[in-house]
C-alpha cells in the first residue's frame, strides 16, 4: 500500500506547481523533478503491490522506496506551512508583515531547495543500488499462492462428507427448487456472499445430492481462479462432463486449441440436459468467454456460480437468472458449530463454564462465517487453560496473520482484498481505524476519504459522487457490510466484518498507514504512522510521542481527557489534515486551531464546544465542518473566508420529534453564499438577505433552512428553483402558527430525493406531482384540510412517508399507488377515526408506525393485506384499539397474526411503558432453547416490583421492572399461533440492598448463546427502538432484557394472566430440602433473588433448596414460573420446613 502516500504527494505537487507562482527557480525545479520521480515510483510500487515471493533484499529495497515518501511529505507540508504564514496580516499591515518575513522566506526557500535536491539524489540512488546488487523482482502475483490454496479447497469439497453443516436447510431447499423447476430455458443461478460464508459448501451439498444427479444427464464442477486461462477451463469442463457419465475422453485435450475444444464441448452437450457449477467467479468476463459453449436447447439446463461480488451475481447474463444471498450463521448456529470442533471430547460437546464468556466472544467475532468458526474451533480444541483462551482472544490480529492453522481463513478472506483495485485498497484499509462493530455513516466516510485525498478527480463527476461509487463497490464486493439503508434501498451506514478488520489492522500496521490504540498495549512512539485512532480512554492524549508528524487524529473514547493545555496540544499538529472528535467531551477549541493550515476535515458533532474561534477563517483548506448537535449557537463572520468548504453541517435536534419544533438552526452571514464549492448547507436560519442570495448557490446538493416566514415565499422558491443539483431539502417556519409559503415553486428540483417541510400549508403544493425522484417525504405540522394522499400516491419512487399533524380530517384512504413504499409513519392526527388500505396498495410495506391518534379505535382496514409488513409500532393509542389485538382470542388478532413484531408504547403509572404484542412460534422457540446442548447451568431470575409498596421499615423496595405475561394454558396445544406478549415498565425507586431483596418471576438463561442471540438483536432494529425510546423519554429496562422471540422467557403455568396482585409464591428457608407453592399471600412481604442450577433426574420435577441455590429439573418440562417471596412479618427468622405445603407447580 506504499503507493497510497505517493499518489497523494503527486496530487499535492501538481497543485503547488500550478498555483504557487511565487516559487523560486530552485524550488520549482526541485518540485517538478520530484513529481516526475514520484510518478515513476508510483507505477513501480503498484506493480510490486501485486508481487510476492520477494527475498529479504528485495523487501528492504521496496521498503526504502516506500519510506522515501515520508520525508518528501514533510518537506512539502513544512514549505506550505511557512508560505501560508507569510500571507498573514490585513490590507494595511500586509506589506510590512511580508517585509519582516522576507529574510525568513528566502532562507526557507533555500532550505527546501537543498532538501529537495537531497531527496532526488536518494531516490535516484535506489535503482542504482538495485542494479549493483542484481535485485530482480520475481514475477509472481501476491494472490497466486492464496488462489491456488482456495482452488484446492474448493475442488476437495466435492468429495467431502456432509459434516459440520448447520443453517443451510432453507437455502438448500431453494437451490434444489430452482435447479429442478419446470423452466425449460437455460437458467443461471448465482450464490453470492463474502469469502468463508459457506457458498461452496452449500452448493457442493446440492450438487452431490441424488436429486440433482438423477435430474440431469451430465454435470461438471469447475473452480475458477482469479487469473484463469480459458482453454484450461474448457478442458476441465470436458473432463468433468465425461467423468460424470463414466466415459473416457479418447483425444488428447492438451494439444487441442480453443476452437477445437469449443466444438467438442458443443457437440457433447447438444442433446443433453446439463448442470455446470462455476465456483468462485470474480468477473463477468468468464461468462462472456464460455457463454457460447453452453448451449440452450430448451431442455432445462442450469449454470450455477458462486461469487463474492454482488455485481457479478446480479448481472442478467442474457438469460433467466436467480440470485441467492448467503446470510451469516445465527449466533446459536455458530455456537453449535464452534462447540462441535472446540469441545468434541466433552459430553454433548459442552463448553466448560469457565470458558463460556471467552468462547462466546470468539464466536461473535467470527461474524457468522462458518469457515472462521470451524477454524477457530479447531485451534481452540488443543487449548485447555483459561489463560490460553484469554491470550488468544486478545491477540487474534497476530494469530490470523501468523498461525498456520488459520492460514485458510486468512487466504480466503484476503483474496477479496488482493482483487481490489489500488484506489479501493486504501479506502478499505482506512476503515480499520473505526472501532470493532462500529456503525460508520456513509456520508461521514465519504467526506473523510475526500479529505484524505483518496478520491481521484474525474471530469464530469463530483468528488462526493466518486467516493460514493467507491463505497458501493466495496459493499458489492462484500468488503463492508450494510447495517442501515435509506428509503430507496441505498446504504446509509456500514461496518467492517471483525475478521476482515483484524487483517486490515495487521496490514495497516505493517505498511505504517495508521496506529490504532485500543488500550491493550502501552502507548508507543509514533514515528512514520501518519494516522492515530484512539479507541480506549487515555489520561492525556499528549502521552503519545512523535505526534508532530500526524496527518489524521480520531478519538472514539468519549471520556478521553483533553490535554491540560489545548494550545500546546494543537501546536504539535501543524500538519494535521483530519481531526475527528465526535462525541468527545471537549468544551473549548483554542484559537491556535487556525494554525492547522492543512486541516481539511473538522468534526465536532455532539461535543460540548460552545463557540468557534474567530480565527477559524484562516483554515483555507477546510472542506468539512461538522458541528451538529454541539453547543455552538453562532458562527463567526470569518466563516465566509473558507473558500474550499464543501460541507457545512450546523443543525441541532430538538429532543421531541413529535412536537412542532424539529431542529434548531444557526445564524450565518449572508456572505456564506459566496462559497462556490459549498455543496451541503444544513441548519441555517433564514434571513431576507440570505434568502435573496441563496439562488446563486446552484451547486448545493443538500439544504436545510429554518425560521422561514410566509413573506419569504418568493425569494425562497426562486432560490430552490435554481438548484438543479439539489437532492435533500428541509424547510421549517418560525413557529407553528406561521404558514409555509412554498406554492410559488413551479416544479421541484429534478434530482430531489428527500423532502421535509415543517409548517402550516394552506393547500397541497401543486408541484408535488413533479417529485419523480423522491424517495423520502416528511410533512410536519401541515394541518391540511384537504386529503394529501391523492396528490402523492403516484410518486413512483417514494419509499418512506412520514405525516405528523398533517391532516385535520377523520379518514385516510389509501386507494391506490404507493408501489415502492416500505415505511409509513402516521403521528399526531387528533381527528383521525379511520384508515382504509385497499388491496394491492403498498404491496412492499415493511414497517408501520401509528402514534398519538386517540380517536382511532381500530387498526387500518386492509392491514391484513400487507403481507410484507414486518414491524408495527403503536404509540399512545386508544385502549379499544389495543384490546382488539391483544391476545389470540381478540377481535382483530387474525388480521395482524402475520406481523412478526408488534410493539405498544403507552403511558402508565410508571412512566412511559412498552409491551410487545408479537406472535411467535412458542413451541419452536422453546424447543430450540430447552433442547439446546449448550444450555448452561446458571440462570438469573427476572426482578419485578413488589405490589405491596414499601417495606415495614419504610424503605422503598425499588424493584427494577414489572411484567405482565400472556401465554397459552398448559392444556392448550403449542401451535404456530401461540401468543406471548409482555410489558417492560420503566424502573422506579432505588435498587434495594442485599438485605432487602426483590420479588422474582420468569426464568432466563444468562449464559445461553440463545439468550445472547436474543439480546444481540439486529443493530438496525435495536437502534430504531432506542431512538424511539429516546424520543419518548422511555428508558430501556435496566433488568434482564426481554425481546419478542420467546427465547428469553418461559411460559407461565395454567393461568394465562399473571398479575402482581395474584402471584404463585414459593416459601423457602435455608433448612428446607424442598420448596413448594402456596396460595397467593396477602399483606406486606419482601423477597429474595436466587440463582438456579439445572440438573436432570428421573423423578418428577421439583425445586430443591441448597443454601441460596435452587435446582430445577427441566428435562421434560416446557415451562416454569416461580415467585420467590418471604413474609415480612418475621423477616429475620427462617421458615421451618413444612412438608404439607403443595408441590411446586411446573407445567
Amino acid at each position: 500500500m506504499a503507493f497510497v502516500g505517493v499518489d497523494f504527494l503527486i496530487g499535492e505537487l501538481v497543485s503547488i506547481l500550478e498555483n504557487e507562482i511565487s516559487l523560486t527557480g530552485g524550488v520549482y525545479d526541485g518540485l517538478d523533478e520530484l513529481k516526475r520521480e514520484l510518478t515513476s515510483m508510483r507505477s513501480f510500487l503498484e506493480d510490486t503491490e501485486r508481487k510476492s515471493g520477494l527475498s529479504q533484499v528485495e523487501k528492504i529495497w521496496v521498503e526504502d522506496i516506500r519510506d522515501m515518501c515520508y520525508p518528501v511529505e514533510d518537506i512539502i507540508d513544512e514549505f506550505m506551512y511557512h508560505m501560508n504564514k507569510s500571507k498573514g496580516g490585513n490590507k494595511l499591515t500586509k506589506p510590512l508583515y511580508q517585509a519582516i518575513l522576507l529574510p525568513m522566506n528566502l532562507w526557507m526557500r533555500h532550505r527546501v531547495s537543498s532538501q529537495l535536491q537531497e531527496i532526488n539524489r536518494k531516490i535516484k540512488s535506489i535503482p542504482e543500488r538495485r542494479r549493483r546488487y542484481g535485485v530482480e523482482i520475481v514475477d509472481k502475483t501476491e494472490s497466486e499462492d492464496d488462489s491456488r490454496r482456495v482452488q484446492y479447497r474448493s475442488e476437495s469439497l466435492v468429495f467431502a462428507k456432509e459434516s459440520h453443516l448447520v443453517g443451510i436447510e432453507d437455502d438448500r431447499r431453494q437451490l434444489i427448487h430452482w435447479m429442478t423447476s419446470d423452466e425449460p430455458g437455460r437458467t443461471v443461478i448465482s450464490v453470492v456472499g463474502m469469502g468463508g460464508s459457506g457458498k461452496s459448501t452449500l452448493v457442493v451439498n446440492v450438487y452431490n445430492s441424488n436429486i440433482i444427479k438423477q435430474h440431469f444427464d451430465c454435470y461438471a464442477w469447475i473452480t475458477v481462479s482469479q487469473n484463469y486461462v480459458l482453454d484450461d477451463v474448457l478442458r476441465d469442463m470436458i473432463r468433468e462432463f465425461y467423468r460424470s457419465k463414466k466415459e473416457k475422453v479418447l483425444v488428447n485435450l492438451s494439444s487441442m486449441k480453443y476452437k477445437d475444444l469449443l466444438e467438442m464441448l458443443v457437440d457433447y452437450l447438444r442433446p443433453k440436459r446439463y448442470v455446470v457449477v462455476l465456483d468462485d467467479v470474480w468477473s463477468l468476463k468468464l461468462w462472456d468467454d464460455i457463454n457460447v459453449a453452453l448451449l440452450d436447447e430448451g431442455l432445462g439446463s442450469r449454470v450455477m456460480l458462486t461469487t463474492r461480488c454482488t455485481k457479478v451475481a446480479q448481472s442478467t447474463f442474457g438469460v433467466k437468472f436467480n440470485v441467492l444471498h448467503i446470510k451469516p450463521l445465527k449466533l446459536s448456529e455458530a455456537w453449535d458449530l464452534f462447540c462441535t470442533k472446540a469441545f468434541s471430547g466433552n459430553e454433548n460437546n459442552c463448553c466448560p463454564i469457565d470458558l463460556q464468556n471467552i468462547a462466546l466472544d470468539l464466536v461473535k467475532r467470527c461474524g457468522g462465517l462458518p469457515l472462521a468458526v470451524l477454524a477457530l474451533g479447531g485451534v481452540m480444541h488443543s487449548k485447555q487453560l483459561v489463560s490460553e483462551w484469554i491470550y488468544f482472544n486478545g491477540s487474534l490480529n497476530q494469530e490470523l496473520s501468523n498461525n498456520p492453522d488459520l492460514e485458510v481463513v486468512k487466504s480466503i478472506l484476503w483474496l477479496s482484498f488482493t482483487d481490489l483495485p489500488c484506489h479501493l485498497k486504501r479506502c478499505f484499509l482506512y476503515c480499520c481505524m473505526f472501532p470493532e462493530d462500529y456503525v460508520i455513516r456513509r456520508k461521514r466516510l465519504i467526506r473523510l476519504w475526500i479529505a484524505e485525498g483518496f478520491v481521484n478527480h474525474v471530469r464530469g463527476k463530483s468528488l462526493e459522487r466518486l467516493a460514493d461509487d467507491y463505497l458501493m463497490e466495496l459493499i458489492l464486493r462484500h468488503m463492508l457490510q450494510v447495517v442501515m439503508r435509506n428509503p430507496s434501498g441505498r446504504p446509509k451506514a456500514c461496518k467492517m466484518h471483525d475478521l476482515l478488520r483484524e487483517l486490515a489492522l495487521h496490514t495497516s500496521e505493517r505498511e505504517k498507514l495508521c496506529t490504532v490504540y485500543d488500550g491493550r498495549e502501552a502507548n508507543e512512539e509514533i514515528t512514520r504512522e501518519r494516522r492515530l485512532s484512539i479507541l480506549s480512554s487515555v489520561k492525556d492524549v499528549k502521552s503519545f510521542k512523535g505526534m508532530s508528524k500526524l496527518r489524521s487524529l480520531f478519538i472514539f473514547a468519549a471520556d478521553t481527557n483533553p490535554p491540560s493545555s489545548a494550545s500546546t496540544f494543537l501546536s504539535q499538529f501543524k500538519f494535521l489534515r483530519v481531526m475527528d472528535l465526535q462525541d468527545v467531551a471537549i468544551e473549548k477549541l483554542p484559537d491556535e486551531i487556525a494554525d492547522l493550515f492543512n486541516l481539511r476535515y473538522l468534526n465536532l458533532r455532539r461535543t460540548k464546544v460552545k463557540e468557534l474561534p474567530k480565527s477559524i477563517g484562516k483554515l483555507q483548506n477546510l472542506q468539512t465542518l461538522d458541528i451538529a448537535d454541539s453547543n455552538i449557537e453562532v458562527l463567526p463572520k470569518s466563516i465566509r473566508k473558507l473558500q474550499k468548504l464543501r460541507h457545512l453541517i450546523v443543525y441541532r435536534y430538538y429532543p421531541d420529534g413529535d412536537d412542532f419544533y424539529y431542529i434548531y438552526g444557526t445564524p450565518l452571514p449572508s456572505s456564506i453564499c459566496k462559497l462556490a464549492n459549498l455543496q451541503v448547507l444544513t441548519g441555517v436560519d433564514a434571513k431576507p438577505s440570505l434568502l435573496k442570495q441563496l439562488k446563486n448557490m446552484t451547486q448545493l446538493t443538500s439544504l436545510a433552512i429554518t425560521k422561514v416566514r410566509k413573506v419569504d415565499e418568493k425569494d425562497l422558491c426562486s432560490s430552490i428553483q435554481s438548484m438543479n443539483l439539489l437532492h435533500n431539502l428541509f424547510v421549517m417556519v418560525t413557529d407553528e402558527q406561521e404558514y409555509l409559503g412554498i406554492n410559488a415553486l413551479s416544479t421541484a428540483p429534478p434530482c430531489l430525493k428527500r423532502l421535509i417541510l415543517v409548517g402550516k400549508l394552506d393547500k397541497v403544493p401543486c408541484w408535488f406531482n413533479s417529485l419523480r425522484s423522491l424517495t423520502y417525504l416528511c410533512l410536519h405540522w401541515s394541518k391540511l384540510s384537504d386529503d394529501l394522499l391523492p396528490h402523492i400516491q403516484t410518486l413512483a419512487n417514494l419509499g418512506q412517508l412520514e405525516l405528523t399533524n398533517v391532516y385535520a380530517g377523520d379518514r385516510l384512504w389509501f386507494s391506490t399507488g404507493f408501489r415502492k413504499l416500505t415505511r409509513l409513519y402516521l403521528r399526531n392526527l387528533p381527528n383521525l377515526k379511520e384508515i382504509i388500505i385497499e388491496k394491492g396498495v403498498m404491496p412492499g410495506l415493511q414497517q408501520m408506525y401509528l402514534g398519538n391518534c386517540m380517536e382511532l379505535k381500530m387498526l387500518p382496514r386492509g392491514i391484513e393485506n400487507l403481507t410484507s409488513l414486518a414491524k408495527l409500532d403503536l404509540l399512545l393509542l386508544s385502549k379499544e384499539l389495543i384490546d382488539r389485538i391483544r391476545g389470540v382470542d381478540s377481535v382483530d388478532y387474525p388480521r395482524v397474526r402475520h406481523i412478526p413484531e408488534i410493539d405498544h408504547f403507552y403511558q402508565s403509572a410508571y412512566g412511559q411503558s412498552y409491551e410487545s404484542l408479537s406472535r411467535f412460534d412458542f413451541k419452536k422457540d422453546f424447543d430450540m432453547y430447552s433442547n439446546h446442548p449448550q444450555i448452561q447451568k446458571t440462570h438469573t431470575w427476572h426482578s419485578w416490583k413488589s405490589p405491596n409498596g414499601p417495606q415495614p421499615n419504610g424503605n422503598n423496595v425499588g424493584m427494577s421492572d414489572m411484567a405482565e405475561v400472556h401465554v397459552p394454558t398448559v392444556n392448550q396445544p403449542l401451535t404456530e399461533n401461540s401468543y406471548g406478549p409482555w410489558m417492560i415498565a420503566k424502573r422506579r425507586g432505588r435498587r434495594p440492598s442485599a438485605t432487602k431483596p426483590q420479588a422474582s418471576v420468569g426464568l432466563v438463561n444468562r449464559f445461553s448463546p440463545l439468550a445472547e442471540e436474543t439480546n444481540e438483536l439486529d443493530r438496525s432494529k435495536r437502534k430504531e427502538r432506542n431512538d424511539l425510546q429516546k424520543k419518548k423519554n422511555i428508558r430501556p429496562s435496566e433488568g434482564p432484557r426481554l425481546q419478542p422471540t420467546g427465547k428469553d422467557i418461559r411460559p407461565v403455568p395454567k393461568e394465562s394472566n399473571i398479575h402482581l396482585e395474584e402471584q404463585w409464591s414459593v416459601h423457602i428457608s435455608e433448612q428446607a430440602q424442598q420448596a413448594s407453592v402456596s396460595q397467593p399471600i396477602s399483606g406486606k412481604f419482601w423477597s429474595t433473588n436466587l440463582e438456579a442450577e439445572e440438573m436432570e433426574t428421573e423423578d418428577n420435577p421439583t425445586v430443591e433448596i441448597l443454601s441460596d441455590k435452587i435446582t430445577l429439573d427441566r428435562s421434560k418440562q416446557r415451562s416454569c414460573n416461580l415467585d420467590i417471596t418471604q413474609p415480612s412479618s418475621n423477616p429475620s427468622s427462617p421458615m421451618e420446613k413444612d412438608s404439607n405445603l403443595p408441590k411446586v407447580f411446573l407445567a
Side-chain angles (χ1 to χ4, degrees), residues 600-622:
R600 289 161 165 75
Y601 179 94
L602 178 59
N603 186 358
L604 301 174
R605 182 181 289 243
R606 292 193 294 272
T607 63
K608 298 180 181 180
V609 176
K610 296 181 180 179
E611 63 178 1
L612 292 176
K614 295 179 181 179
S615 56
I616 193 78
K618 293 182 179 180
L619 300 177
Q620 291 299 301
N621 290 307
L622 193 64

Side-chain angles (χ1 to χ4, degrees), residues 887-889 893 897 918-927 966-980 1045-1046 1051 1118:
V888 292
D889 297 326
Y893 173 73
R897 57 179 293 179
S918 304
R919 176 194 64 80
F920 53 86
D921 189 338
F922 211 96
K923 185 176 189 304
K924 176 182 176 183
D925 289 340
F926 181 81
D927 287 346
H966 306 266
V967 294
T969 62
V970 175
N971 297 325
Q972 183 178 356
L974 295 173
T975 66
E976 64 178 1
N977 297 327
S978 298
Y979 185 77
T1045 65
R1118 288 186 175 175

Side-chain angles (χ1 to χ4, degrees), residues 1049-1068:
I1049 191 168
R1050 301 298 181 134
V1052 295
K1054 194 170 182 178
E1055 294 295 328
S1056 62
N1057 290 283
I1058 301 296
H1059 297 288
L1060 294 176
E1061 296 81 9
E1062 187 177 75
Q1063 295 179 332
W1064 294 96
S1065 301
V1066 180
H1067 297 276
I1068 63 170

Side-chain angles (χ1 to χ4, degrees), residues 69-317:
C69 300
Y70 300 116
V72 172
E73 185 178 31
D74 292 340
I75 291 170
I76 293 174
D77 281 349
E78 188 170 3
F79 174 73
M80 295 304 298
Y81 175 74
H82 285 281
M83 294 300 295
N84 183 73
K85 289 188 68 175
S86 67
K87 297 178 180 179
N90 53 39
K91 293 181 178 180
L92 296 177
T93 62
K94 190 171 184 178
L96 178 61
Y97 188 78
Q98 290 180 341
I100 295 173
L101 291 178
L102 180 60
M104 175 62 73
N105 288 338
L106 292 175
W107 175 82
M108 176 54 63
R109 287 186 173 93
H110 176 72
R111 180 186 174 197
V112 169
S113 178
S114 300
Q115 289 176 328
L116 290 175
Q117 291 177 14
E118 179 64 17
I119 289 291
N120 280 319
R121 184 189 65 78
K122 289 182 178 180
I123 291 177
K124 291 177 179 178
S125 70
I126 294 175
E128 292 175 3
R129 188 162 66 253
R130 169 191 169 190
R131 289 190 295 269
R132 186 162 61 247
Y133 289 101
V135 177
E136 295 294 338
I137 299 297
V138 179
D139 188 12
K140 182 181 180 182
T141 62
E142 180 182 8
S143 61
E144 186 174 318
D145 291 337
D146 289 342
S147 182
R148 187 181 295 113
R149 187 181 293 109
V150 172
Q151 183 173 351
Y152 291 161
R153 180 180 182 276
S154 172
E155 292 172 350
S156 65
L157 279 175
V158 182
F159 306 100
K161 295 182 179 179
E162 294 186 8
S163 59
H164 305 312
L165 298 181
V166 295
I168 71 168
E169 280 307 313
D170 291 342
D171 290 341
R172 183 179 186 273
R173 194 177 301 113
Q174 180 65 73
L175 287 181
I176 290 177
H177 170 71
W178 284 337
M179 294 279 281
T180 59
S181 67
D182 296 333
E183 172 61 40
R186 182 185 60 178
T187 303
V188 176
I189 301 169
S190 300
V191 181
V192 60
M194 70 178 295
S197 60
K199 302 183 298 293
S200 299
T201 303
L202 169 65
V203 173
V204 161
N205 184 272
V206 173
Y207 178 80
N208 284 335
S209 66
N210 291 331
I211 298 176
I212 300 302
K213 302 293 186 185
Q214 296 169 5
H215 186 78
F216 294 95
D217 299 324
C218 58
Y219 36 88
W221 178 285
I222 308 298
T223 302
V224 185
S225 64
Q226 286 174 300
N227 300 302
Y228 66 89
V229 178
L230 181 58
D231 289 8
D232 291 340
V233 171
L234 295 179
R235 292 187 184 98
D236 291 342
M237 204 175 294
I238 293 171
R239 294 189 186 100
E240 284 289 305
F241 280 133
Y242 271 80
R243 186 181 294 117
S244 70
K245 299 289 290 181
K246 297 182 179 180
E247 299 172 349
K248 187 175 182 180
V249 182
L250 301 179
V251 297
N252 184 7
L253 296 178
S254 301
S255 62
M256 297 178 66
K257 296 183 179 180
Y258 169 76
K259 182 179 179 181
D260 298 327
L261 292 169
L262 185 62
E263 184 178 355
M264 181 178 180
L265 186 57
V266 169
D267 290 342
Y268 184 80
L269 294 178
R270 192 176 301 279
K272 298 180 178 66
R273 178 196 293 162
Y274 63 85
V275 57
V276 57
V277 175
L278 304 172
D279 188 36
D280 213 13
V281 178
W282 291 87
S283 72
L284 289 171
K285 183 176 180 297
L286 174 69
W287 178 255
D288 295 334
D289 289 340
I290 68 171
N291 182 29
V292 66
L294 301 175
L295 294 179
D296 185 3
E297 297 287 299
L299 299 175
S301 296
R302 300 290 184 263
V303 178
M304 187 183 302
L305 60 88
T306 69
T307 180
R308 308 176 186 211
C309 184
T310 305
K311 188 180 294 186
V312 172
Q314 293 181 341
S315 172
T316 61
F317 300 101

Side-chain angles (χ1 to χ4, degrees), residues 95 139 215 221 531 543 579 612 754 883 913 927 1045 1089 1112:
D139 188 12
H215 186 78
W221 178 285
R531 300 175 181 90
S543 59
M579 181 182 286
L612 292 176
R754 183 180 177 91
D883 287 344
S913 302
D927 287 346
T1045 65
N1089 284 336
L1112 298 178

